[in-house]
C-alpha cells in the first residue's frame, strides 16, 4: 500500500525531478480518492425561499473562503489566480490535448490536475490536515511549457507570464523552511510576517489580552521603528480601513500603543475587498431569513465583517445559538485556530447545510440524556458547568463548506465566554461522514486480518457515536474557573478542592484570558484530546449505544471498533509529526497519538503495537486491542487521564497542562514501540486524505439551481471554474494585489517570489 501503490515508480521519478527532497509526503498521488458531496435530496426538499437563503449564504461563504489563500502562504494567491486563468480559458479536457502535444504523458497531466484540485480543495498549497506543503508531481520545465503555451497565455501573455514568474519557483520549492506551516525558522505562515518568532507571538498575545482584543480576526506584521525598536502592526479583518465608523466600539481601538517598551499599531482593512463581497451576500440573504433571530444574526455578522469587531460576531453567534433547529443551518467567520502556529488566530470558514431528520432524531435523544451522562464523567461536579445549556444537535447534509477543509463534526462557537453562559451548537456532517470515512479493505493498514471485516462493517456506525459524544459531551463539558474584571469568582474558593492535589484551587483565568490565549500552542490539540477521550469513555455506556440503536453483541462490536479505530489512528498520527522540529502539525492526530500512549501505558496487554514485515517484503506494523480488557484496564486508565486533563483545564494550570500533554505527545525511539522508526513505516504505507467535490448553486431568474460535478480531479476543477461566473478575473486581480501589497513581509533572498513587487 502507501506510496508505491499510490503513484508507483512514476511518483518517485517525478519526485526526483521536482527536487532531492520531493519524497512522497510532499506529493498528492494520481490515484488519490475523490468523492462528490451528495446533498441533492436535502436540497430538493427546501422551499424556494429556503433555497434563496441557502444560495446567498453559500455565495458569502465561497467569497470569504478566498481569504484562506492569504492566510496560508505568500504564493498561494498567485497559484490560485494562475490555475483559475488557465482553466477558465480551457476546460481540463481541452487543456489535456495541449499538454500531450507539449510532450507530457497522461500520467504527468493527471498529476497536474491532481495538484490543481489539491490547491482548490485546501485553498492553498499546504494540506489543511497536517500543514505539509504539496508540490506538482511532474518536472517544472514541462509544467512551464503547458502554462506558457496555454490559451490563457495567448489571451493574456503578460499576466500569465508574470504569475508564473511570481509563483513558479515557490510552487516547486521544498527548502526545509517551506515544507511545513510554522513560525520563524520552523516554517512559513502568513498569519505573521516572516521575521516573527514565537516570542513575538507571545508578546502580541499579551498586548491583545491587555486591550481586551481578540486575535481571531488578526494578523501580525513586525517592523523596525525609526529609533531602532521593534514595532508591530496588529491588522484586523474588515471592509472598512481608515474610514470613520458609525460607532466607537472599534475606532477607539485603532491607534498606537506603547507596550513593554515596544510600539504597537492596531489597524484594520485586511481582506477588505473580499469581505465586501461577503457582506453583500449576507445582506441579500436577510430578505430570505426564516425568523428575526436569523435576521439579527446576519446583521451582527455584517457589522463584524464591516467594522472588524469580534464582539459583534459574538453578538451574532448568540442569536445563532438561539436559532434552534433551523431548516437551513449555517455559520461564517474566522473560526478555527488550528493552523495558526501560535493557536489563537482563526481561519475563515463558512458552511451552509440542510437538516438530516432521521440522524438528528438520535442526536436529540443524546441531548435529552446529556445531563445524566455528564454526571458519569470522572471529575467532581464543581468542575462541570453550573447549568447544562441544552444545545441544538443536528445531523446536516452540507451544501457548501468553504475554507481549507471539511470536518466530520463541529461544536461551535469557539468563544469561551459564550460557551459558558449562552451555550453552543453541535453539528454532525452526515454526507461528509458518508464519503470521507469510507474504507476499502485492501487499503486498510496496520490491522490484523480478522479485525478488518469487523472494522469495515462497524467503522461508520461507531464513528457516528464517537462524533456525537465528542462534540456534545466532549467539547460541551467542563467549566473554566474565572475571576472577572470586578474580582468576582465563578466558583467557591473555600469549598472547591482540586481532586489531584487535595488542596484548594490555586490558579484560574483572569479577565481577558481565554483557553486559547492561555494554552496557546497546545490549546487546540489538548481540547481535541479531551473530547476524543470523553467519546471513548462514554461509548462504554449501554444507554448511549441504545440511543443509536445498538444492543447486545452489536453494541460490543461498536465499542471495540471505536476503541480500535482510535488506537490505529494514534499510529497513523505519526505521519503528522516532524522529527526535525520535534513538533506536531495536526491537532486531532496529536490528540489520538496521546490517547494511544495513555492506553499503552495502562499495560496488561490492552494495546500492543508490533513492527512486522509485510507480504511485499517491506516494513509493516500491527495494532492489537484486547477487547476483553477495554473495561477492566482501558476504562480506569482513561478515567485517570481525563480527570487530570479537565482539572488542569478548569484551573488554567498551563505549566501542569503542558507537562502532562507534551510528555505523552513526545515521539521517541524508546523501546518497545520505537515510534520514530515506526513513523517511517507509517509514511511508507500512508493513504492520502480524500478530496471532496462540492456542488454550486446558481440563480436563474428567481429560482436556485443545484449544479453537481463528477467525482474526479477534473470535476473538482470544473466546480471552481464555475464558482465565480460573474467576477472570477476581478477576484484573482484582488487576491494578487492584496498578496503583492504585503509581499515585502516574507521577502528574503532564499525564498521570495522572484516576480513580486
Amino acid at each position: 500500500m502507501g506510496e508505491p501503490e499510490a503513484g508507483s515508480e512514476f511518483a518517485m521519478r517525478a519526485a526526483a525531478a521536482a527536487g532531492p527532497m520531493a519524497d512522497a509526503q510532499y506529493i498528492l498521488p494520481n490515484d488519490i480518492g475523490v468523492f462528490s458531496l451528495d446533498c441533492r435530496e436535502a436540497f430538493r426538499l427546501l422551499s424556494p425561499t429556503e433555497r434563496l437563503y441557502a444560495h446567498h449564504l453559500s455565495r458569502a461563504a465561497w467569497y470569504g473562503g478566498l481569504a484562506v489563500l492569504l492566510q496560508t502562504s505568500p504564493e498561494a494567491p498567485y497559484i490560485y489566480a494562475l490555475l483559475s486563468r488557465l482553466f477558465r480559458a480551457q476546460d481540463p479536457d481541452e487543456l489535456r490535448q495541449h499538454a500531450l502535444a507539449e510532450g507530457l504523458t497522461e500520467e504527468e497531466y493527471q498529476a497536474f490536475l491532481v495538484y490543481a484540485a489539491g490547491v482548490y480543495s485546501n485553498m492553498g498549497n499546504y494540506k489543511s490536515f497536517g500543514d505539509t506543503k504539496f508540490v506538482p508531481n511532474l518536472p517544472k520545465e514541462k509544467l512551464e511549457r503547458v502554462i506558457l503555451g496555454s490559451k490563457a497565455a495567448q489571451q493574456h501573455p503578460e499576466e500569465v507570464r508574470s504569475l508564473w514568474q511570481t509563483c513558479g519557483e515557490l510552487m516547486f520549492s521544498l527548502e526545509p523552511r517551506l515544507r511545513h506551516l510554522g513560525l520563524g525558522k520552523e516554517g512559513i505562515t502568513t498569519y505573521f510576517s516572516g521575521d516573527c518568532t514565537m516570542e513575538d507571538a507571545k508578546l502580541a498575545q499579551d498586548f491583545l489580552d491587555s486591550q481586551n482584543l481578540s486575535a481571531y480576526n488578526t494578523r501580525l506584521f513586525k517592523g523596525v521603528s525609526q529609533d531602532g525598536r521593534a514595532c508591530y502592526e496588529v491588522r484586523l479583518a474588515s471592509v472598512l480601513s481608515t474610514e470613520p465608523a458609525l460607532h466607537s466600539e472599534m475606532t477607539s481601538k485603532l491607534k498606537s500603543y506603547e507596550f513593554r517598551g515596544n510600539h504597537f499599531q492596531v489597524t484594520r482593512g485586511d481582506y477588505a475587498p473580499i469581505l465586501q463581497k461577503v457582506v453583500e451576500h449576507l445582506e441579500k440573504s436577510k430578505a430570505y431569513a426564516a425568523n428575526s433571530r436569523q435576521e439579527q444574526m446576519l446583521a451582527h455578522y455584517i457589522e463584524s465583517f464591516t467594522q472588524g469587531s469580534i464582539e459583534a460576531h459574538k453578538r451574532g453567534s448568540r442569536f445563532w445559538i438561539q436559532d434552534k433547529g433551523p431548516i437551513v443551518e449555517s455559520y461564517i467567520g474566522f473560526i478555527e485556530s488550528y493552523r495558526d502556529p501560535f493557536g489563537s488566530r482563526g481561519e475563515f470558514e463558512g458552511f451552509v447545510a440542510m437538516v438530516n431528520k432521521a440522524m438528528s432524531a438520535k442526536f436529540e435523544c443524546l441531548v435529552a440524556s446529556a445531563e445524566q451522562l455528564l454526571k458519569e464523567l470522572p471529575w467532581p461536579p464543581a468542575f462541570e458547568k453550573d447549568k447544562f445549556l441544552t444545545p441544538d444537535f443536528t445531523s446536516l447534509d452540507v451544501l457548501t463548506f468553504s475554507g481549507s477543509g471539511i470536518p466530520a463534526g463541529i461544536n461551535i462557537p469557539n468563544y469561551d465566554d459564550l460557551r459558558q453562559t449562552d451555550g453552543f451548537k453541535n453539528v454532525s456532517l452526515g454526507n461528509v461522514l458518508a464519503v470521507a470515512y469510507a474504507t476499502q479493505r485492501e487499503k486498510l493498514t496496520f490491522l490484523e486480518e480478522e479485525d478488518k471485516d469487523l472494522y469495515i462493517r462497524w467503522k461508520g456506525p461507531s464513528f457516528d457515536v464517537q462524533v456525537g459524544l465528542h462534540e456534545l459531551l466532549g467539547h460541551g463539558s467542563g467549566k473554566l474557573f474565572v475571576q472577572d474584571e470586578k474580582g468576582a469568582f465563578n466558583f467557591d474558593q473555600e469549598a472547591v478542592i482540586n481532586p489531584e492535589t487535595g488542596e484548594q484551587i490555586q490558579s484560574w483565568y483572569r479577565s481577558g484570558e481565554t483557553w486559547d490565549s492561555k494554552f496557546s500552542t497546545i490549546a487546540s490539540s489538548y481540547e481535541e484530546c479531551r473530547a476524543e477521550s470523553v467519546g471513548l469513555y462514554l461509548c462504554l455506556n449501554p444507554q448511549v449505544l441504545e440511543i443509536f440503536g445498538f444492543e447486545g453483541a452489536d453494541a460490543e462490536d461498536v465499542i471495540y471498533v471505536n476503541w480500535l479505530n482510535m488506537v490505529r489512528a494514534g499510529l497513523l498520527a505519526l505521519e503528522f509529526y516532524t522529527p526535525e522540529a520535534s513538533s506536531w502539525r495536526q491537532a486531532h492526530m496529536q490528540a489520538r497519538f496521546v490517547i494511544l500512549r495513555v492506553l499503552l501505558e495502562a499495560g496488561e496487554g490492552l494495546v500492543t503495537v508490533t513492527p512486522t514485515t509485510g507480504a511485499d517484503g517491506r516494513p509493516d506494523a500491527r495494532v492489537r486491542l484486547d477487547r476483553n480488557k477495554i473495561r477492566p484496564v482501558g476504562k480506569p486508565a482513561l478515567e485517570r487521564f481525563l480527570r487530570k486533563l479537565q482539572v488542569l483545564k478548569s484551573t488554567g494550570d498551563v505549566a501542569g497542562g503542558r507537562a502532562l500533554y507534551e510528555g505523552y505527545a513526545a515521539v521517541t525511539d524508546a523501546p518497545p514501540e520505537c515510534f520514530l522508526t515506526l513513523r517511517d513505516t507509517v509514511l511508507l504505507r500512508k493513504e492520502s486524505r480524500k478530496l471532496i467535490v462540492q456542488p454550486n448553486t446558481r440563480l436563474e431568474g428567481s429560482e436556485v439551481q443545484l449544479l453537481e460535478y463528477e467525482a474526479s480531479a477534473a470535476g473538482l476543477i470544473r466546480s471552481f471554474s464555475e464558482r465565480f461566473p460573474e467576477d472570477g478575473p476581478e477576484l484573482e486581480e484582488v487576491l494578487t494585489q492584496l498578496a503583492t501589497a504585503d509581499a515585502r513581509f516574507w521577502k528574503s533572498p532564499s525564498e521570495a517570489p522572484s516576480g513580486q513587487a
Side-chain angles (χ1 to χ4, degrees):
M1 235 216 58
E3 294 330 320
E5 179 185 302
S8 68
E9 287 178 27
F10 165 71
M12 302 308 164
R13 286 203 311 274
M21 266 308 296
D23 64 31
Q25 64 179 309
Y26 303 111
I27 280 167
L28 301 180
N30 275 15
D31 66 350
I32 193 168
V34 186
F35 292 86
S36 287
L37 214 48
D38 180 13
C39 62
R40 189 182 313 158
E41 182 60 16
F43 186 79
R44 187 183 67 78
L45 294 172
L46 295 181
S47 71
T49 302
E50 288 161 352
R51 289 185 186 186
L52 284 160
Y53 183 64
H55 168 71
H56 287 296
L57 287 175
S58 291
R59 300 310 299 149
W62 285 125
Y63 279 117
L66 296 172
V68 176
L69 293 159
L70 295 155
Q71 292 181 302
T72 301
S73 70
E75 67 274 14
Y78 300 100
I79 296 173
Y80 173 90
L82 180 62
L83 294 173
S84 298
R85 295 276 158 119
L86 213 55
F87 291 113
R88 187 182 303 107
Q90 285 171 291
D91 168 274
D93 289 342
E94 205 182 323
L95 191 63
R96 172 181 276 106
Q97 303 311 314
H98 162 62
L100 297 180
E102 287 287 357
L104 270 70
T105 64
E106 286 281 3
E107 284 177 317
E108 286 169 334
Y109 182 67
Q110 179 62 20
F112 172 55
L113 291 186
V114 165
Y115 175 77
V119 169
Y120 286 133
S121 193
N122 292 279
M123 266 293 105
N125 55 331
Y126 286 76
K127 294 176 190 173
S128 66
F129 200 84
D131 296 344
T132 306
K133 188 172 187 177
F134 56 96
V135 299
N137 194 356
L138 71 159
K140 180 168 173 261
E141 306 70 44
K142 286 192 169 186
L143 181 56
E144 182 172 35
R145 285 209 302 274
V146 171
I147 289 168
L148 298 184
S150 67
K151 191 178 282 185
Q154 290 165 18
Q155 292 169 350
H156 304 283
E158 285 180 24
E159 286 173 36
V160 171
R161 184 174 289 279
S162 171
L163 285 169
W164 173 251
Q165 285 174 344
T166 301
C167 68
E169 288 296 328
L170 279 171
M171 193 188 280
F172 282 86
S173 174
L174 284 170
E175 280 185 43
R177 187 187 168 194
L178 303 183
R179 290 175 198 163
H180 307 290
L181 296 179
L183 198 50
K185 293 174 184 170
E186 301 297 329
I188 191 77
T189 176
T190 46
Y191 283 116
F192 298 86
S193 56
D195 53 356
C196 281
T197 64
M198 196 56 80
E199 285 63 43
D200 294 313
K202 286 174 184 159
L203 176 69
Q205 187 63 57
D206 289 347
F207 164 72
L208 290 166
D209 288 346
S210 76
Q211 298 302 317
N212 242 345
L213 271 170
S214 169
Y216 270 120
N217 65 341
T218 69
R219 292 198 289 168
L220 185 71
F221 301 96
K222 183 180 178 182
V224 180
S225 60
Q226 290 175 336
D227 58 5
R229 288 187 302 156
C231 58
Y232 300 90
E233 179 195 358
V234 174
R235 191 189 301 167
L236 310 177
S238 66
V239 175
L240 296 177
S241 50
T242 54
E243 303 88 337
L246 297 173
H247 59 83
S248 62
E249 179 178 85
M250 291 314 300
T251 42
S252 63
K253 305 274 189 187
L254 302 172
K255 59 184 182 185
S256 296
Y257 301 80
E258 291 297 317
F259 183 76
R260 295 185 191 164
N262 296 283
H263 180 71
F264 277 83
Q265 179 84 30
V266 177
T267 67
R268 67 179 176 183
D270 217 0
Y271 327 118
I274 292 170
L275 291 176
Q276 178 63 49
K277 298 275 188 184
V278 174
V279 165
E280 285 169 14
H281 281 279
L282 291 178
E283 282 285 4
K284 287 177 180 175
S285 66
K286 273 166 69 177
Y288 308 106
N291 53 53
S292 63
R293 286 183 298 276
Q294 289 182 358
E295 288 170 14
Q296 301 250 49
M297 167 191 89
L298 292 166
H300 286 298
Y301 290 166
I302 288 165
E303 181 191 355
S304 171
F305 298 139
T306 303
Q307 305 285 356
S309 166
I310 289 294
E311 288 304 314
H313 196 268
K314 285 184 181 179
R315 291 193 287 272
S317 297
R318 281 198 174 93
F319 284 105
W320 178 71
I321 293 164
Q322 292 163 19
D323 185 31
K324 305 274 189 192
I327 302 295
V328 177
E329 184 59 285
S330 68
Y331 198 56
I332 190 167
F334 296 89
I335 312 298
E336 300 294 354
S337 57
Y338 300 125
R339 298 182 94 196
D340 169 13
F342 187 71
S344 60
R345 283 153 193 78
E347 183 174 83
F348 194 96
E349 71 178 44
F351 77 83
V352 184
M354 292 81 67
V355 173
N356 175 320
K357 288 181 178 166
M359 184 53 98
S360 294
K362 294 178 182 177
F363 288 140
E364 279 169 28
C365 291
L366 191 64
V367 171
S369 309
E371 283 194 81
Q372 198 54 43
L373 292 169
L374 283 171
K375 294 172 185 170
E376 307 277 320
L377 292 172
W379 48 77
F383 287 75
E384 196 44 71
K385 292 186 185 77
D386 303 334
K387 185 178 186 310
F388 181 70
L389 299 154
T390 307
D392 233 12
F393 197 161
T394 45
S395 176
L396 303 175
D397 284 340
V398 171
L399 169 66
T400 296
F401 206 114
S402 77
S404 66
I406 312 181
I410 325 170
N411 172 290
I412 38 182
N414 287 330
Y415 306 121
D416 293 330
D417 46 352
L418 263 66
R419 296 171 67 79
Q420 300 282 323
T421 57
D422 295 74
F424 51 86
K425 281 187 183 181
N426 298 279
V427 295
S428 173
L429 305 178
N431 59 343
V432 176
L433 283 168
V435 298
Y437 297 92
T439 307
Q440 294 170 272
R441 196 179 197 282
E442 62 274 16
K443 291 194 172 187
L444 199 48
T445 51
F446 308 129
L447 292 182
E448 296 286 9
E449 283 302 314
E450 61 265 28
D451 279 333
K452 287 185 177 179
D453 292 333
L454 202 63
Y455 183 90
I456 286 167
R457 181 179 174 192
W458 292 110
K459 186 190 176 188
S462 75
F463 204 69
D464 283 335
V465 174
Q466 179 68 11
V467 168
L469 294 171
H470 171 116
E471 301 296 351
L472 175 67
L473 297 159
H475 292 315
S477 65
K479 176 175 179 170
L480 302 184
F481 294 155
V482 178
Q483 181 183 23
D484 67 21
E485 64 277 6
K486 294 173 183 165
F489 290 89
N490 70 342
F491 65 99
D492 187 333
Q493 280 186 286
E494 300 298 319
V496 178
I497 298 298
N498 181 326
E500 294 296 311
T501 64
E503 298 170 357
Q504 290 178 328
I505 303 304
Q506 305 291 321
S507 57
W508 48 84
Y509 296 79
R510 289 176 168 73
S511 176
E513 289 183 331
T514 66
W515 163 249
D516 276 339
S517 73
K518 212 164 166 60
F519 281 71
S520 66
T521 53
I522 65 164
S524 290
S525 185
Y526 187 113
E527 175 58 14
E528 293 305 331
C529 187
R530 197 181 68 87
E532 290 284 46
S533 299
V534 166
L536 283 189
Y537 187 76
L538 288 179
C539 82
L540 297 170
N541 186 308
Q543 183 192 351
V544 167
L545 295 167
E546 226 171 278
I547 288 169
F548 285 88
F550 306 120
E551 296 179 39
D554 285 355
E556 290 304 309
D557 283 344
V558 166
I559 291 167
Y560 175 63
V561 170
N562 196 31
W563 279 60
L564 181 65
N565 186 43
M566 187 62 69
V567 293
R568 176 177 179 259
L571 178 61
L572 296 177
L574 289 167
E575 175 193 340
F576 301 94
Y577 178 76
T578 306
E580 298 81 7
S582 300
S583 67
W584 285 91
R585 306 187 311 278
Q586 215 293 320
H588 298 79
M589 299 311 280
Q590 180 181 3
R592 291 158 189 162
F593 178 77
V594 165
I595 292 169
L596 171 62
R597 289 283 313 278
V598 169
L599 297 179
L600 282 166
E601 184 184 80
E604 298 187 47
L606 170 68
V607 176
T608 55
V609 181
T610 315
T612 61
T613 301
D616 56 6
R618 298 179 308 151
D620 206 339
R622 286 290 170 270
V623 176
R624 295 180 185 86
L625 169 71
D626 187 335
R627 67 190 299 162
N628 298 315
K629 292 182 179 170
I630 290 174
R631 283 187 176 85
V633 181
K635 187 180 180 185
L638 209 52
E639 188 170 304
R640 290 188 297 272
F641 178 60
L642 248 180
R643 186 183 299 116
K644 285 179 187 168
L645 285 179
Q646 183 56 50
V647 167
L648 293 163
K649 181 182 178 183
S650 288
T651 57
D653 182 351
V654 180
R658 278 195 179 279
L660 174 75
Y661 200 68
E662 290 174 349
Y664 280 116
V667 179
T668 70
D669 240 351
E673 285 82 26
C674 306
F675 282 119
L676 276 176
T677 302
L678 273 176
R679 178 179 176 272
D680 295 334
T681 304
V682 170
L683 287 174
L684 183 71
R685 298 186 177 276
K686 78 182 178 76
E687 183 186 359
S688 289
R689 200 167 171 81
K690 300 175 180 78
L691 302 179
I692 296 179
V693 183
Q694 298 187 56
N696 285 317
T697 55
R698 180 178 294 164
L699 195 54
E700 294 182 1
S702 60
E703 288 190 10
V704 180
Q705 304 296 328
L706 184 71
L707 307 178
E708 297 174 286
Y709 302 89
E710 68 175 35
S712 66
L716 202 157
I717 290 165
R718 285 189 187 100
S719 74
F720 267 88
S721 293
E722 296 181 12
R723 195 140 281 158
F724 303 105
E726 306 90 6
D727 50 10
E730 174 200 329
L731 290 171
E732 290 140 33
E733 187 74 22
V734 160
L735 283 165
T736 55
Q737 284 173 355
L738 291 175
T740 301
D742 288 328
R744 66 188 186 282
F745 290 116
W746 296 280
K747 260 193 174 175
S748 80
S750 63
E751 64 208 21
S754 56
Q756 279 184 11

